[in-house]
């Protein structure tokens, strides 16, 4: 049975029980461009108690540097690039460390600049992403040179959330997925079907990936975001104490099928906040896979401590 | 075992055996903007033998009027609007005759002008489709009024091939699919995963529909194009002799899973041409669901008759 955290005593127990606080971002810290109440204060309070805060996001449109800017914009200080684990970073690490793609092979990106920046930081050349050549025609042009002439040096296809989506980008992605007898690795940043923005659900990376997956009759060879454990392994590599004792870590998120699953698979306890996708009704109706705790909003940690 | 048609004697037998020749268009008559060899001559020859020619296409981007223009552009004369059964027309008929959607309810369209024109011809008001307001922002605008203010008069959602696809259109479509407790009828023009264009496979309607389907956790309530039999039933209603004796009809197409299946389900014999999606190797490897016949290209009917 999931415990609702709603008293100062319970918050005190949380602070005693955990040293590592892992946070999903969208739906937990902020909704799009709006920070949620008392988030900055809560993070500051945790740090003042000597806690390690780590940010784990499936949003691949931004690089870690972009995230740092976002934290500062919201007045959240003292966060370092190494505190942030995004699916774009996880994807770049996967391609480099696990796939071991040679640096002279290029990567086609269906997605945004975040993936491109993280891959470039590792020394890769990329194609696609936010290249303005892919958005210059008003109507779909079947003779576009990037569609008619595939680059033979492309050795990998990455797909993620793409807000500048168009038919040309989808079609080129499919060509690369079909080329070389369907042998190019097909890597998904994450497969969230939707994401919350301003009280609405918008189309998530997973739904966009479905299009090229269905058309090419291929499933992604790897999924780098939550709940996949490659990000968790990167985090534990950086924090040996968490590796040795995952029960000192608490994964805080707004999604059962990504955040809570990610924490649980990693051996951490989990805390669901109700500011994003899920509702209290849904949590209480779960017969299995319940989070360890749930609470109305993250900012309650600060508000309840002050009482 | 599928019979390859490659002699003038075989073509003569076809002409004796069938009165109704049903044709898929893309991949059979033309590839995009290029007519295939001897197609005009073949159609003329069939008509001169007193055969009825009928065109059955899953391409929903065009209305029947648009198709007439395309036939004329290719020098194919003597075709009437009533000879053409497109998935956009089939969708409009389905919504009107089967769903019986009242004319005062609007229809949201993820797709092109073809669907809009056919629906308007029946008296419906539509939203979406090729509305230029949906393409005017250079970047995705989460505050776009068509996303933030759904029209309460929308009573049905139609999705089909959308070459002017963007993230805004997908997101609005998802809002309508989720609204009113997911109760709005969700109609697909067709679910072809790809379509052939200039020697390449491009993203088909079915792959685009997968995006909004995955995001909204809804499957289309109806699929109007081939192989669905609603188009076949419309055709048979117009040709009672075909209704009475479907074996006098031959369905000619380039796809096993749509065209050949459509013909077979309707009780017609089938002829696969190899100018589109399928290969001879694939046909010969089929253990079941083989077409009655196959041939290299439709124009062989004309060329072989002349020998």
């Amino acid at each position: 049975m999931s415990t609702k955290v709603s008293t100062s005593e319970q918050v005190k127990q949380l602070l005693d029980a955990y040293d590592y606080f892992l946070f999903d971002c969208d739906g937990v810290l902020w909704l799009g461009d709006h920070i949620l109440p008392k988030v900055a204060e809560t993070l500051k309070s945790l740090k003042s108690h000597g806690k390690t805060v780590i940010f784990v996001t499936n949003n691949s449109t931004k690089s870690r540097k972009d995230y740092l800017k976002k934290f500062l914009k919201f007045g959240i200080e003292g966060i370092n690039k190494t505190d942030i684990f995004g699916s774009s970073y996880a994807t770049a690490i996967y391609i480099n460390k696990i796939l071991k793609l040679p640096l002279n092979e290029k990567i086609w990106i269906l997605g945004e600049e975040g993936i491109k920046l993280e891959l470039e930081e590792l020394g890769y050349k990329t194609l696609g992403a936010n290249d303005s050549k892919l958005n210059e025609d008003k109507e779909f042009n079947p003779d576009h040179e990037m569609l008619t002439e595939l680059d033979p040096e492309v050795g990998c296809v990455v797909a993620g959330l793409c807000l500048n989506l168009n038919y040309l980008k989808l079609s080129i992605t499919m060509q690369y997925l079909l080329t070389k007898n369907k042998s190019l690795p097909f890597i998904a940043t994450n497969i969230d079907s939707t994401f919350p923005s301003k009280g609405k659900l918008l189309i998530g990376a997973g739904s966009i990936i479905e299009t090229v997956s269905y058309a090419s009759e291929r499933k992604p060879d790897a999924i780098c975001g939550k709940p996949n454990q490659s990000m968790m392994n990167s985090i534990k590599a950086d924090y040996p104490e968490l590796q040795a004792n995952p029960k000192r870590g608490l994964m805080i998120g707004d999604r059962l099928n990504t955040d809570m699953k990610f924490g649980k698979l990693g051996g951490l306890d989990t805390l669901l906040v109700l500011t994003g996708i899920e509702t209290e009704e849904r949590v209480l109706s779960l017969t299995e896979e319940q989070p360890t705790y749930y609470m109305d909003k993250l900012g309650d940690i600060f508000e309840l401590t002050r009482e």
Side-chain angles (χ1 to χ4, degrees), chain A:
Chain A
M1 191 68 188
S2 197
T3 306
K4 183 164 187 173
V5 178
S6 57
T7 68
S8 60
E9 186 53 37
Q10 287 174 305
V11 172
K12 213 171 287 174
Q13 285 167 11
L14 283 187
L15 293 176
D16 287 342
Y18 305 102
D19 302 315
Y20 297 89
F21 288 75
L22 282 65
F23 298 90
D24 174 40
C25 299
D26 272 304
V28 178
L29 308 182
W30 52 65
L31 287 170
D33 286 332
H34 301 276
I35 190 166
L36 287 161
K38 304 294 176 206
V39 161
E41 292 83 346
T42 296
L43 293 175
K44 198 173 168 184
S45 162
L46 287 171
K47 285 177 83 88
S48 75
H49 283 83
K51 305 301 177 189
T52 300
V53 297
I54 298 164
F55 304 95
V56 195
T57 170
N58 270 1
N59 182 338
S60 65
T61 65
K62 292 184 168 53
S63 67
R64 289 167 300 160
K65 277 185 191 165
D66 296 327
Y67 267 95
L68 281 186
K69 283 183 211 152
K70 190 157 183 171
F71 279 110
L72 284 177
K73 195 185 87 178
F74 286 142
I76 302 171
E77 293 177 349
I79 309 297
N80 300 307
K81 196 169 128 186
T82 51
D83 301 333
I84 302 166
F85 295 80
S87 69
S88 48
Y89 173 60
T91 301
I93 292 292
Y94 182 89
I95 289 170
N96 188 246
K97 297 267 176 69
I98 312 289
L99 268 189
K100 298 186 196 300
L101 191 79
L103 288 175
N104 61 353
E105 295 196 21
K106 295 179 189 166
I107 297 161
W108 170 263
I109 300 168
L110 174 68
E112 301 278 328
E113 203 185 13
I115 310 170
K116 178 186 158 95
L117 293 174
E118 295 290 359
L119 284 164
E120 284 177 354
E121 208 170 307
L122 294 180
Y124 287 106
K125 281 191 187 136
T126 67
L127 289 173
N130 59 341
D131 184 346
S132 61
K133 275 196 212 122
L134 293 162
N135 284 85
E136 66 196 5
D137 294 311
K138 269 207 96 171
E139 304 219 326
F140 169 64
N141 170 16
D143 297 318
H144 195 287
E145 62 170 9
M146 292 176 85
L147 177 61
T148 55
E149 286 171 42
L150 298 188
D151 188 325
E153 291 179 2
V154 167
C156 181
V157 176
V158 173
L161 184 61
C162 185
L163 299 176
N164 269 310
L165 191 70
N166 63 27
Y167 189 83
L168 177 65
K169 293 180 184 183
L170 290 171
S171 290
I172 297 174
T173 305
M174 183 171 73
Q175 305 312 307
Y176 282 113
L177 289 176
L178 295 178
T179 199
K180 297 183 184 170
N181 215 7
K182 299 191 178 182
S183 67
L184 294 191
F186 174 19
I187 313 299
T189 58
N190 62 301
I191 54 164
D192 300 58
S193 61
T194 59
F195 76 90
S197 168
K198 301 189 176 185
K200 265 191 294 295
L201 288 180
L202 298 180
I203 298 282
S207 302
I208 291 170
I209 293 167
E210 270 301 298
T211 307
V212 291
S213 191
Y214 187 79
S216 65
E217 297 182 354
R218 291 187 62 179
K219 292 279 167 206
D221 299 307
I223 299 157
C224 299
K226 297 170 283 184
N228 187 291
Q229 291 294 295
S230 70
M231 278 217 281
M232 185 63 88
N233 294 336
S234 299
I235 295 168
K236 287 179 176 170
D238 283 358
Y239 298 98
E241 281 178 33
L242 182 64
Q243 169 91 51
N245 192 1
K247 281 288 174 206
R248 295 298 296 171
L250 182 68
M251 175 69 212
I252 303 171
D254 71 321
R255 278 181 177 260
L256 293 163
N257 60 355
T258 50
D259 302 323
M260 299 298 98
K261 195 168 174 191
F262 176 73
K264 192 172 179 177
L265 287 172
L268 281 66
D269 280 345
T270 55
L271 164 61
L272 185 83
V273 292
L274 301 176
T275 41
I277 295 279
E278 307 293 352
T279 60
E280 183 161 18
E281 199 184 352
R282 173 90 191 273
V283 178
L284 296 176
S285 72
L286 289 173
T287 51
E288 50 188 310
E289 300 289 337
Q290 288 195 344
T292 321
Y293 316 97
Y294 72 100
M295 66 197 303
D296 290 330
K297 62 177 195 294
L298 179 63
D300 288 350
I301 289 182
F302 174 76
E303 288 181 354
L304 293 169
T305 330
R306 291 180 70 200
E307 274 168 11

